[in-house]
């Protein structure tokens, strides 16, 4: 009976240590992500102010890209088939983003040592999903602008 309680105590201690390490890793990642999320608006304001004070060549380049974007919208805003096509592209990119996220969640479950990976490896692992999210959000923004400026 004494041996059983000793094994039970060892298992309980190992269980507590495992969850303490896992909780600490998750807390550290959550803290890093929270700090990054809090600093994004400040970084955005700093970058936009810096870009406004840039030399005129850089401003011309930014105006060129914005003009090209607006010309693309102007060219396609009256074509309902093109608008529907762009909406379909946005929806397909959204579903691709969701599908990639589900695949990564399934792989996280299947990889037994996933909680033991370093934070950098986890971020590299999540990079394809983040890239697909940016592609989808870019297309979605274009579709919203296309609909906003359409005359129909």
């Amino acid at each position: 009976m004494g041996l059983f309680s000793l094994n039970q105590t060892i298992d309980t201690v190992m269980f507590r240590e495992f969850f303490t390490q896992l909780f600490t890793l998750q807390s550290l990642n959550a803290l890093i992500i929270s700090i990054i999320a809090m600093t994004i608006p400040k970084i955005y304001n700093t970058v936009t102010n810096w870009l406004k004070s840039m030399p005129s060549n850089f401003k011309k380049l930014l105006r060129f890209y914005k003009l090209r974007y607006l010309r693309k919208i102007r060219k396609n805003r009256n074509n309902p088939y093109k608008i529907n096509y762009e909406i379909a592209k946005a929806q397909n990119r959204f579903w691709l983003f969701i599908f990639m996220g589900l695949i990564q969640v399934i792989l996280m479950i299947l990889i037994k040592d996933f909680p033991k990976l370093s934070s950098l490896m986890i971020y590299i692992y999540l990079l394809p999903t983040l890239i697909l999210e940016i592609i989808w959000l870019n297309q979605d923004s274009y579709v919203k602008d296309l609909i906003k400026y359409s005359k129909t």
Side-chain angles (χ1 to χ4, degrees), residues 17-51:
E17 286 180 17
F18 173 74
F19 278 103
T20 303
Q21 290 174 356
L22 184 63
F23 180 73
T24 306
L25 179 64
Q26 290 176 347
S27 299
L28 181 63
N29 285 338
L31 179 66
I32 291 170
I33 291 171
S34 300
I35 291 171
I36 290 171
M38 288 178 6
T39 58
I40 285 176
K42 294 177 184 176
I43 292 171
Y44 177 77
N45 290 334
T46 305
V47 169
T48 53
N49 290 336
W50 179 71
L51 289 177

Side-chain angles (χ1 to χ4, degrees), residues 9-19:
T9 306
I10 291 172
D11 289 341
T12 306
V13 170
M14 290 174 58
F15 184 74
R16 284 185 188 158
E17 286 180 17
F18 173 74
F19 278 103

Side-chain angles (χ1 to χ4, degrees), residues 22-103:
L22 184 63
F23 180 73
T24 306
L25 179 64
Q26 290 176 347
S27 299
L28 181 63
N29 285 338
L31 179 66
I32 291 170
I33 291 171
S34 300
I35 291 171
I36 290 171
M38 288 178 6
T39 58
I40 285 176
K42 294 177 184 176
I43 292 171
Y44 177 77
N45 290 334
T46 305
V47 169
T48 53
N49 290 336
W50 179 71
L51 289 177
K52 289 177 184 176
S53 66
M54 287 298 291
S56 63
N57 290 337
F58 191 73
K59 287 181 184 179
K60 288 178 184 177
L61 184 65
L62 289 177
R63 279 192 309 224
F64 169 75
Y65 283 119
K66 187 169 185 173
L67 180 65
R68 190 172 76 174
Y69 177 75
L70 290 174
R71 281 184 180 161
K72 183 178 172 185
I73 287 177
R74 185 171 153 200
K75 177 183 169 189
N76 297 324
R77 69 182 177 180
N78 295 326
N79 186 350
Y81 300 112
K82 184 67 174 175
I83 293 172
N84 285 335
Y85 177 70
E86 294 296 331
I87 291 171
K89 277 178 34 179
Q91 288 176 343
N92 288 335
R93 290 177 180 179
F94 170 73
W95 286 112
L96 186 63
F97 161 66
I98 294 295
F99 183 68
M100 178 60 88
L102 288 175
I103 287 174

